[in-house]
Amino acid sequence: MSLPHAILTALLEKPSSGLELTRRFDRSIGYFWSSTHQQIYRELGKLEQAGRIRALPTAAPARGQKKEYEVLPAGREELAAWVALPEDPRPVRDPLLLRMRAAAVVGVNGMGAELRRHLSLHERQLAEYREIEERDFTPAPEADADRLRHLVLRGGIDLETFWIDWLTRAIGDLDD
């Protein structure tokens, strides 16, 4: 996935200003595709220059006034073409796994505490995802768009559950 496609997706869901987009990324898309505010603003400029989005007209143009953007037909076509492309899974690049491999060579000093810290972080993230699921997807969604959004959230829940199970086993193995 690329940032321009994440921005097009968010703008098709709801026309927004750059600030609103960054807030929405922090609350939703950022769970699986993070980006800085600077990156979002830079990409908005590129998308506008490429004719994929446009700033909505305002009643009275004023310097410093926030621009709201909407997706143009070329942007929708770009996003639809990207959605249809095949893409292979990416290899896992997790610093914790690399550090564990290094600990096998230099010793496990401090690794147990770090694993416990990661376990706590994943438990908190899982609790947050479950809270979102309860709030936004109970009862189960009927519309296709909502079911797809729920599937993305379920993917996050399943990943957090995997990490919690794996970390619990890893901590148990190190404590033996």
Side-chain angles (χ1 to χ4, degrees):
M1 178 178 200
S2 67
L3 181 56
H5 296 112
I7 290 172
L8 288 171
T9 299
L11 289 176
L12 279 168
E13 291 174 341
K14 179 183 177 212
S16 303
S17 68
L19 179 59
E20 290 166 338
L21 274 176
T22 58
R23 288 179 179 155
R24 287 173 58 207
F25 264 71
D26 290 345
R27 288 189 322 266
S28 61
I29 292 173
Y31 287 126
F32 56 89
W33 190 261
S34 62
S35 181
T36 66
H37 299 148
Q38 294 85 358
Q39 290 170 320
I40 290 171
Y41 280 101
R42 189 170 42 246
E43 286 301 324
L44 283 169
K46 289 177 186 177
L47 286 166
E48 187 174 27
Q49 195 170 25
R52 292 194 170 91
I53 64 171
R54 74 175 180 125
L56 292 169
T58 58
R63 185 168 166 77
Q65 182 180 7
K66 68 179 181 177
K67 292 186 204 176
E68 285 208 342
Y69 295 93
E70 70 176 352
V71 177
L72 296 171
R76 180 179 284 277
E77 290 169 15
E78 164 64 25
L79 187 60
W82 176 77
V83 166
L85 288 175
E87 187 170 341
D88 294 338
R90 294 192 179 190
V92 174
R93 281 184 66 158
D94 190 294
L96 179 64
L97 298 176
L98 181 57
R99 289 173 56 209
M100 288 184 70
R101 182 71 184 252
V105 178
V106 297
V108 296
N109 190 23
M111 187 54 62
E114 182 64 356
L115 291 174
R116 285 179 184 81
R117 188 178 77 80
H118 275 255
L119 177 59
S120 175
L121 293 171
H122 286 286
E123 288 170 338
R124 280 200 305 263
Q125 189 64 62
L126 178 60
E128 188 172 337
Y129 284 164
R130 286 190 171 145
E131 186 177 299
I132 292 168
E133 183 178 42
E134 179 69 26
R135 181 190 69 220
D136 296 345
F137 298 105
T138 302
E142 293 182 20
D144 285 346
D146 289 335
R147 283 199 306 260
L148 289 170
R149 288 182 190 103
H150 189 212
L151 284 169
V152 172
L153 178 62
R154 285 297 319 164
I157 289 169
D158 292 348
L159 282 171
E160 294 304 326
T161 301
F162 160 78
W163 280 112
I164 290 167
D165 292 346
W166 184 84
L167 285 160
T168 300
R169 276 195 317 275
I171 291 165
D173 287 352
L174 278 179
D175 287 347
D176 287 346

